[in-house]
Amino acid sequence: MRPAVIAVAITGSVPRKSDNPALPVTPSEQIESTHEAFEAGASLVHIHVRNPDETPSSDPDLFQAVQEGVTQHCPGMIIQFSTGGRGRDANARGSSLPLRPDMASLSTGSVNFPTIVYENSASLVNTLASSMRDHEIAPEIEIFDLSHLHGARRLIEEGLINDHPHVQFVLGVKNAMPAEEHLLDVLLAEKQRILPHATWTAAGIGKFQLPVMNWALARGADAVRTGMEDNIRINANQLASGNAELVQIAAETLASHGRRPATPAEARQILQLRKSA
């Protein structure tokens, strides 16, 4: 059975404990939730951190606390920091990169979100990409629009990222790319044309999490994404008990496609990352 990376986005910027009490927001909660997800089959953790009032934070000390806990309790797990902009000052979005996580998210263009414009100017994108290059951090390119693939191609041409980034198509954000299966085909065809060496995955938001996962696996994706950042429910009537339950569902979905969760070492090989310390 061919392995696939299960990425778990444990917290995000939007959900609150009032939405689902199982959401991990403190470093200790995030470490525990990640460990449970790791035991369930996740080999990559995508990390946002929160202030005490649950608002999004860029505090490097919080990122470091989670990084150290995951490194200790989840041997070899790929650690990916978010440089996303929702609720965070643009000048601080890369402040945790000197901690040298294995990966970091990188959006290559702006897009409408439900209530804001998620702004990623060319100068900011270049700054973040340069910092990732200088700290030997592999980027995960967040694709909210077809033009963002071409933004990634520009970064390759300018020597800011290598020619085999990891690409994530994000489907189902209101006002952005709808979660429609034929659109994934359009995006994937363009990725294959201009970023032929890039690995890829797709993330479905909310109720689209599982359908998008199935679409991606049917097309041979290198990875799948799950977690409470994107979806806090099992179904319309049931909240998820935690990130581990969502990872368990992802592992079952992999099996239905003849795939299995990658080990951390396999995940690093698939995504062409440095070996864990």
Side-chain angles (χ1 to χ4, degrees):
M1 297 175 75
R2 179 184 162 208
V5 179
I6 297 180
V8 59
I10 54 172
T11 302
S13 297
V14 175
R16 298 292 187 268
K17 281 189 174 292
S18 58
D19 302 312
N20 185 330
L23 182 77
V25 294
T26 66
S28 60
E29 289 174 343
Q30 290 180 309
I31 294 163
E32 181 179 3
S33 185
T34 301
H35 182 247
E36 292 169 353
F38 177 77
E39 293 290 323
S43 50
L44 185 158
V45 58
H46 176 71
I47 299 169
H48 291 249
V49 293
R50 299 286 188 93
N51 296 309
D53 64 356
E54 295 190 42
T55 56
S57 174
S58 295
D59 187 347
D61 290 340
L62 294 175
F63 277 103
Q64 184 174 19
V66 181
Q67 180 183 36
E68 289 177 350
V70 171
T71 299
Q72 178 181 353
H73 296 288
C74 309
M77 192 176 199
I78 297 166
I79 296 175
Q80 182 187 99
F81 287 174
S82 170
T83 65
R86 189 158 8 200
R88 300 168 68 186
D89 181 83
N91 294 325
R93 283 167 53 182
S95 61
S96 64
L97 296 178
L99 295 170
R100 297 187 75 241
D102 299 295
M103 301 183 73
S105 61
L106 179 63
S107 297
T108 58
S110 301
V111 66
N112 288 336
F113 274 0
T115 59
I116 64 167
V117 175
Y118 178 25
E119 187 173 347
N120 294 286
S121 68
S123 61
L124 174 61
V125 173
N126 286 359
T127 296
L128 291 172
S130 296
S131 183
M132 292 179 198
R133 179 195 60 192
D134 294 346
H135 291 101
E136 299 181 298
I137 299 166
E140 177 180 271
I141 308 298
E142 309 300 333
I143 304 297
F144 295 94
D145 182 81
L146 188 66
S147 64
H148 298 173
L149 283 168
H150 289 266
R153 183 67 211 173
R154 176 183 60 81
L155 295 176
I156 292 171
E157 291 170 349
E158 295 178 1
L160 295 175
I161 64 174
N162 62 40
D163 69 349
H164 55 270
H166 185 50
V167 167
Q168 176 163 265
F169 303 116
V170 184
L171 305 176
V173 176
K174 184 179 179 182
N175 300 329
M177 190 71 70
E180 297 182 13
E181 190 170 5
H182 75 280
L183 293 177
L184 181 57
D185 288 325
V186 172
L187 292 164
L188 184 56
E190 189 68 355
K191 183 216 80 77
Q192 297 292 69
R193 188 179 75 85
I194 67 170
L195 302 174
H197 304 299
T199 53
W200 73 279
T201 185
I205 305 305
K207 65 181 181 181
F208 301 113
Q209 186 169 77
L210 192 56
V212 169
M213 190 182 300
N214 277 295
W215 300 343
L217 289 169
R219 289 158 177 80
D222 300 287
V224 296
R225 167 157 151 157
T226 190
M228 298 184 75
E229 171 174 349
D230 301 338
N231 175 35
I232 60 171
R233 297 182 174 276
I234 300 303
N235 55 51
N237 301 311
Q238 182 180 353
L239 293 172
S241 63
N243 282 294
E245 185 174 18
L246 294 173
V247 171
Q248 290 166 358
I249 292 171
E252 293 166 1
T253 304
L254 287 181
S256 72
H257 288 268
R259 306 281 295 275
R260 63 173 176 81
T263 66
E266 289 172 332
R268 289 176 180 274
Q269 185 174 25
I270 290 167
L271 301 181
Q272 301 179 61
L273 304 179
R274 62 177 183 260
K275 294 181 179 180
S276 60

